Amino acid sequence: MVKKRAHEVASFLACPSSKNYLVVLLYGPDRGLVSERATLFAKKSGMNLSSPFSTVYLDAADINRNPAILSHEALTFSLFDNGRLIWIRNGDAHKGLAHAIQGLLQKTHEKVFVLIEAGDLKKNTILRKTVEQNEKAVALPCYNDGAREINSLIKECLSTFQMSISQDAHEILQNHLGENRLTSRQELEKLCLYAKGKELISPEDVFEGVSNVSPRSQNEIIDAVISGNLPLFNQSFNRSLESKIPLFSILSAIQRQFQQLQEFRFTMDTTGKSASAIISEARHQIVLQRQPLMKQVILHWTSEDIIQAMKQLQNTLLNSRRNTELAKSIIRQSLITLTVQASKRKLHP
């Protein structure tokens, strides 16, 4: 059985032994990170990525419909290239793909690599189990970047452009990046181009050059409100104000969250499904780190409570638009009220 933990993946891919596996499966909710690491492995494989005979790109859905495609490509060699890389994208819970991988792993294929990009696979997904249980294959999880990974990415991009950044600007970037590796990298590169020629990247440069690419700060506020965590709410709300995230954007995000909660609660009330089952079915809509909290939230927020909260948020939106000068105070007070109401449910640790 060969599987790696999320924090081991980067060092594993940098190790020459990563080329000793016939099948490499990269999976996780961060599609940008999955793609970036797949590209890194492909480059280190030694295959000629520009040759259609050395590197072939397949879609998982095509293999799922016709599993024989994979074995056919694995047995096709070029007279001029040194091996073959089969790069499979859009992998998911495809039984046909998993069976094709099982068949491939039972045979010996010299100088053939199968690289699979997949979404967030559960432990019992047949594709993931097939890879993890075979010594010729390795499964590599790719989860959303934490503070350490974001910091490394910022340093890497700044080094590439030979630029420096102020501490305040760095902290703002830390709060804005992270949900998708590819998007974060693109925003950093855009920032470096925007601030090109300056000795130091300032907070103003970040505000002007970086889009609100990550709902990280919004998620913190949302989680604080629905779980009743008032200290976290105050901290996250103040941070968002410092980062100049539009208040109406925050309010809209919380409204969307309650709409989602309403759907989840309606499903639970009408079908009798458990909270765990509902969140599991909707796992692609919720980042992995928030799923345990969401299971608790839909248990403790009744349908009537959710409806009342949605009415309050709608009134808050209207009042804040009619009184733009007081919008900050109106929105903050309304969200504090919801947070205090939720605190009575004692959801947060």
Side-chain angles (χ1 to χ4, degrees):
M1 180 179 293
V2 183
K3 60 180 178 179
K4 299 290 181 181
R5 297 185 181 276
H7 70 273
E8 299 175 319
V9 175
S11 58
F12 171 79
L13 289 174
C15 180
S17 64
S18 63
K19 297 189 296 184
N20 295 339
Y21 296 94
L22 170 62
V23 176
V24 174
L25 168 65
L26 288 149
Y27 69 93
D30 189 338
R31 294 280 188 168
L33 182 56
V34 168
S35 177
E36 180 173 295
R37 286 177 167 170
T39 301
L40 176 62
F41 174 82
K43 290 179 178 178
K44 288 181 174 291
S45 69
M47 298 296 105
N48 184 352
L49 302 183
S50 61
S51 168
F53 300 103
S54 180
T55 303
V56 60
Y57 300 92
L58 299 175
D59 191 280
D62 293 330
I63 300 175
N64 192 53
R65 287 191 293 266
N66 184 8
I69 293 176
L70 183 59
S71 59
H72 172 74
E73 293 294 347
L75 294 172
T76 303
F77 287 95
S78 168
L79 296 175
F80 307 101
D81 290 317
N82 242 350
R84 192 163 178 82
L85 172 66
I86 303 173
W87 196 332
I88 303 172
R89 288 171 171 153
N90 301 317
D92 210 328
H94 296 298
K95 291 185 178 181
L97 172 61
H99 292 321
I101 294 296
Q102 287 175 339
L104 191 70
L105 289 169
Q106 293 173 0
K107 303 174 184 178
T108 301
H109 296 274
E110 295 183 2
K111 296 184 179 180
V112 173
F113 299 101
V114 177
L115 176 60
I116 308 172
E117 292 184 38
D120 194 13
L121 303 177
K122 288 178 134 183
K123 287 184 179 180
N124 60 353
T125 303
I126 185 169
L127 176 60
R128 182 173 164 184
K129 287 173 63 178
T130 297
V131 172
E132 289 181 345
Q133 294 174 1
N134 195 293
E135 61 182 11
K136 297 179 185 177
V138 61
L140 306 174
C142 301
Y143 294 111
N144 303 118
D145 286 335
R148 182 168 55 184
E149 291 79 15
I150 295 172
N151 185 54
S152 297
L153 182 61
I154 292 172
K155 287 183 177 179
E156 178 189 335
C157 289
L158 291 176
S159 176
T160 299
F161 285 85
Q162 298 182 331
M163 301 185 74
S164 300
I165 189 169
S166 72
Q167 183 61 37
D168 289 342
H170 189 280
E171 290 179 2
I172 294 170
L173 276 178
Q174 285 275 142
N175 293 327
H176 278 70
L177 304 176
E179 289 295 330
N180 183 289
R181 171 66 69 86
L182 181 59
T183 304
S184 295
R185 183 180 292 279
Q186 290 172 342
E187 289 296 323
L188 283 168
E189 291 174 351
K190 185 175 71 174
L191 172 63
C192 289
L193 291 172
Y194 173 83
K196 189 175 182 180
K198 296 186 177 182
E199 293 185 2
L200 197 67
I201 296 175
S202 67
E204 290 73 22
D205 294 325
V206 176
F207 294 142
E208 294 294 332
V210 178
S211 306
N212 185 26
V213 298
S214 168
R216 175 183 296 273
S217 298
Q218 291 182 357
N219 280 347
E220 287 182 350
I221 296 175
I222 292 170
D223 290 349
V225 171
I226 62 180
S227 68
N229 191 333
L230 189 57
L232 176 61
F233 169 79
N234 287 323
Q235 180 184 22
S236 302
F237 193 87
N238 290 336
R239 187 187 302 125
S240 296
L241 292 179
E242 292 172 1
S243 301
K244 297 186 179 179
I245 296 176
L247 291 175
F248 293 112
S249 172
I250 295 173
L251 193 58
S252 295
I254 295 176
Q255 286 182 301
R256 290 193 298 273
Q257 178 63 88
F258 273 97
Q259 288 170 355
Q260 184 185 58
L261 283 178
Q262 187 179 40
E263 293 177 7
F264 290 160
R265 184 71 203 199
F266 177 79
T267 301
M268 187 168 71
D269 291 342
T270 56
T271 66
K273 289 184 178 180
S274 67
S276 295
I278 292 170
I279 296 303
S280 178
E281 291 173 357
R283 67 184 186 278
H284 295 302
Q285 304 174 40
I286 309 168
V287 295
L288 185 67
Q289 294 88 336
R290 299 184 69 230
Q291 291 177 16
L293 175 63
M294 292 299 293
K295 292 177 185 178
Q296 294 298 315
V297 167
I298 61 174
L299 282 173
H300 292 81
W301 279 87
T302 67
S303 295
E304 183 178 347
D305 291 336
I306 294 170
I307 291 172
Q308 292 302 316
M310 291 174 68
K311 289 180 179 178
Q312 179 180 324
L313 289 169
Q314 183 61 29
N315 289 332
T316 301
L317 178 62
L318 294 174
N319 291 334
S320 59
R321 284 181 172 172
R322 290 169 181 164
N323 303 277
T324 54
E325 294 182 356
L326 300 174
K328 183 192 301 183
S329 298
I330 292 172
I331 293 174
R332 181 195 287 272
Q333 188 56 51
S334 177
L335 297 182
I336 286 176
T337 300
L338 284 177
T339 305
V340 171
Q341 291 174 356
S343 69
K344 297 175 183 179
R345 300 174 175 85
K346 298 180 180 180
L347 288 174
H348 72 276

